[in-house]
Structures are given as structure tokens and as C-alpha cells.
Amino acid sequence: MSFKVDTGLINSGAIKSTDSYQLVIAGGGPAALSAAIYAARYGIKHVVLESWKPGGQAALTAEIENYPGFSSIVGSDLTNAMKKQALEAGAVFSMETVESTQEKDGKILVRTDSAEYSAEYLIIATGAAPATLGVPGEEKYYGRGVSFCATCDAPFFKNKKAIVVGGGDSAVKEALHLTHVVSELGLVHRRDKLRAEPYLAKKLVEHEKVTTYWNSHLTEVVGSDQGVTGVILDTPEGKKHIDTDGVFLYVGTVPATEPFTTLVDLDKKNAVVTRDIVGTSNPRVFAAGDVTNNGFRQVVTAVSEGARAAAAVFDLLENE
Ligand code: NAP
């Protein structure tokens, strides 16, 4: 399955930011898209505010193999299909980044980089961004060998060497994607056991192109004017310099909750604290997907939470 580039799917022009909405959905990944499909079908007057990265993290995933109905599907094909379905249902999208929110006179005010919206209810489905290590060279060489997206950048590393850091599902899946392209791949993990799905973890560790560095920490990315040339690892055998052309970091995610800090309770990791799965500390605000503290972060749970959040808003509107 394949659809054309996302920008062709934007239903712009219909937005008037001065309008009052029943619902604003913040986000563009599976949770937001599912909420949009349900909101549109319920006839809720809504707008979906998605940032410049439509489809969220799922759209940056090379292959998704555990979404029911597809034994394997490219992440962006799945999210594009969701967006197409949402548009067909009548969902309204605008590509804007939410910058701040507040509650005023019983309404939720949402300020973006280009407009302000007033709504009775808000669904926060802004997902999570890749975490960084904070080591020297990481920021300096970002885009010049350091990447958070193998699906996007793998072609630049054809027949070159790459290092992947992390032991979760993202690290393992994206490392497997890189094995199709690179000549050699190093996997650096801070423990001696991967937390990723065992089936994929085994496939990666046994791959002929892969060298594993267990109980090891990447402490520096080194390079030249041309970009990354290597990394320094802290290993059980001591400090090691490894030559590499690329460094792919998959060391977890940070929930995208900055614009909502005064609106809802967040946990220590800045995820939205939920009640009854999609409720929050604010009765006018719901949350769905990776932005929440719900734990199991899968596309299948994100779409379920998005649907539940839209249904909860519908129930409240019906009973007003
Ligand atoms: P994750 O599961 O949180 O894994 C992050 C990895 O980075 C862990 O292995 C962790 O090590 C390591 N790490 C964290 N901080 C580090 C640091 N400072 N230095 C070195 N290593 C560090 O994150 P994720 O892989 O991005 O996945 C996020 C969520 O999405 C998970 O719930 C995952 O299951 C889900 N996901 C699912 C799929 C799928 O297709 N099923 C695909 C991608 C993601 P430790 O193991 O030692 O903690």
C-alpha cells in the first residue's frame, strides 16, 4: 500500500482561527489521527493541529509488523492511510505547532505559531520526541552523521559504517533496517540484555554485519569538517575508539508536553498523567498515545486511546 506525499493530504483553507471549536486535537500521529476519524464521524466541530512532522514517530518507522491486519507495513504508509481515512471522514487539519495553552472562562485556549483557537475540549496527542545523550559531538554533528531516524537517513550510509545506540524496540528495528544498507553496524547498549521484542533482538544480534558492545556507553562523537568519523565508547575493557560514519541514537523518548504544563498534571518524566485511560487532571482535556504515562507505547494502543478520547468528548457534548 502506498499513498502520495503527505502535503497533498492537507485540507487547509478551511481553518478560521477566530472560530470557536468544540474540540481541538493537538498532534499528528496515530493517536491524533484516530481521534480525528472518530471526531469527524461523530460530527464534532474540530480542528487537528499537526506540526511539521505529520504521522508522528510511527511515520519514521521503517516497518511495523505488529499492527493487526498488516503482517508488515511501512510506518508512513500506515499513517498516510489513517490520514486519508480521516480526511475522507471530514476531519480538518492545519499544519501548525502548538506553543501554549490555557483555560479561560470555561474554554481551552490554544496558541500556535500562527493562530489562536478556542475550544470546549482538547485532546493532547502530541507524542514524544527522541531523547538525546547530552555527550560532546552529539549536537555538533547532528545532520552530519548523527541521526535519530534510520528510516529517513539510511540511504546516506550505503556501504558505510554505522553505530546504533540503545536496546529498545526503536534501536533494534531501525538497526535491522540499517543492516540492508551499511557495510558494518555496531550496536552499543548500556546493559547486556536488550529490552526489545525478543524475536527481533535475536535476529539483530545474530546478523553477520553486527558487532555488539554490551555494558557500554557512548561518551563522545568525534568528527572532522566532513562530519562524523568515529565514537568513543566506555566499555568493560576500557575506553575504545570505533571508526564510524554514522551514529543513530535510540535512547528513549521525551513526551511533547511543554505547551500543556499549566493545563494538566504531568509525571516526573513529563508525561501526561491519565485517569481512566484517556482522562487527565483537567475535565476539559483528554490525552492519548505516547504523550501519556499509559506505558505500553504501540501504534495499536495509540489509536485505541485516540478513539476513546474522541468518544469521551462526544459523550460530554451530548450531555451538555
Ligand atoms: P525505550 O523502550 O525506552 O528504550 C530506550 C533504550 O535506550 C533502552 O534500551 C535504554 O536502556 C536505552 N537508554 C535510555 N537512556 C539511555 C542513556 N542515557 N544512555 C544509554 N542508553 C540509554 O525507547 P524506544 O525504543 O524508543 O521505544 C519507546 C516505546 O515505543 C516503547 O514502549 C517501545 O516498545 C515502543 N516501540 C514499539 C515499536 C514496535 O514496533 N512494537 C517500535 C518502536 C517503539 P535500558 O534498556 O537499559 O533501559
Side-chain angles (χ1 to χ4, degrees), residues 66 133 165-171 173 189-191 195 197 250-253 295 297-298:
N66 54 6
L133 283 174
V165 185
D169 282 318
S170 300
K173 285 195 139 189
H189 185 36
R190 65 182 178 182
R191 293 187 293 137
R195 71 166 62 234
E197 210 183 312
Y250 290 102
V251 291
T253 54
R297 296 195 170 128
Q298 305 287 312

Side-chain angles (χ1 to χ4, degrees), residues 102-180:
Q102 69 176 110
E103 189 168 9
K104 202 175 170 192
D105 304 328
K107 299 274 184 194
I108 304 294
L109 302 182
V110 179
R111 180 165 294 158
T112 72
D113 48 1
S114 54
E116 190 168 279
Y117 297 84
S118 167
E120 286 178 61
Y121 297 99
L122 170 69
I123 295 176
I124 302 173
T126 40
T132 56
L133 283 174
V135 298
E138 181 184 35
E139 199 179 331
K140 181 175 178 186
Y141 294 108
Y142 173 62
R144 293 193 296 145
V146 173
S147 169
F148 298 91
C149 182
T151 309
C152 323
D153 296 334
F156 297 115
F157 297 90
K158 197 167 167 38
N159 298 325
K160 293 186 172 178
K161 294 177 183 175
I163 293 275
V164 170
V165 185
D169 282 318
S170 300
V172 168
K173 285 195 139 189
E174 301 306 297
L176 277 168
H177 179 64
L178 283 167
T179 58
H180 298 298

Side-chain angles (χ1 to χ4, degrees), residues 104-272:
K104 202 175 170 192
D105 304 328
K107 299 274 184 194
I108 304 294
L109 302 182
V110 179
R111 180 165 294 158
T112 72
D113 48 1
S114 54
E116 190 168 279
Y117 297 84
S118 167
E120 286 178 61
Y121 297 99
L122 170 69
I123 295 176
I124 302 173
T126 40
T132 56
L133 283 174
V135 298
E138 181 184 35
E139 199 179 331
K140 181 175 178 186
Y141 294 108
Y142 173 62
R144 293 193 296 145
V146 173
S147 169
F148 298 91
C149 182
T151 309
C152 323
D153 296 334
F156 297 115
F157 297 90
K158 197 167 167 38
N159 298 325
K160 293 186 172 178
K161 294 177 183 175
I163 293 275
V164 170
V165 185
D169 282 318
S170 300
V172 168
K173 285 195 139 189
E174 301 306 297
L176 277 168
H177 179 64
L178 283 167
T179 58
H180 298 298
V181 179
V182 299
S183 57
E184 287 174 39
L185 186 75
L187 178 72
V188 179
H189 185 36
R190 65 182 178 182
R191 293 187 293 137
D192 63 356
K193 190 173 188 307
L194 298 170
R195 71 166 62 234
E197 210 183 312
Y199 165 75
L200 292 178
K202 185 169 185 289
K203 202 166 151 187
L204 180 69
V205 170
E206 290 176 356
H207 197 285
E208 58 184 6
K209 288 186 186 173
V210 173
T211 304
T212 48
Y213 300 92
W214 302 116
N215 301 307
S216 298
H217 294 263
L218 187 154
T219 55
E220 187 175 350
V221 179
V222 290
S224 67
D225 289 349
Q226 270 69 50
V228 170
T229 55
V231 291
I232 310 286
L233 301 184
D234 196 355
T235 77
E237 298 82 42
K239 226 176 206 195
K240 277 188 187 169
H241 178 285
I242 312 287
D243 289 340
T244 189
D245 304 292
V247 183
F248 290 85
L249 299 170
Y250 290 102
V251 291
T253 54
V254 182
T257 47
E258 184 114 352
F260 314 107
T261 47
T262 57
L263 208 56
V264 291
D265 287 348
L266 306 178
D267 72 5
K268 276 189 210 147
K269 293 180 173 172
N270 285 332
V272 178

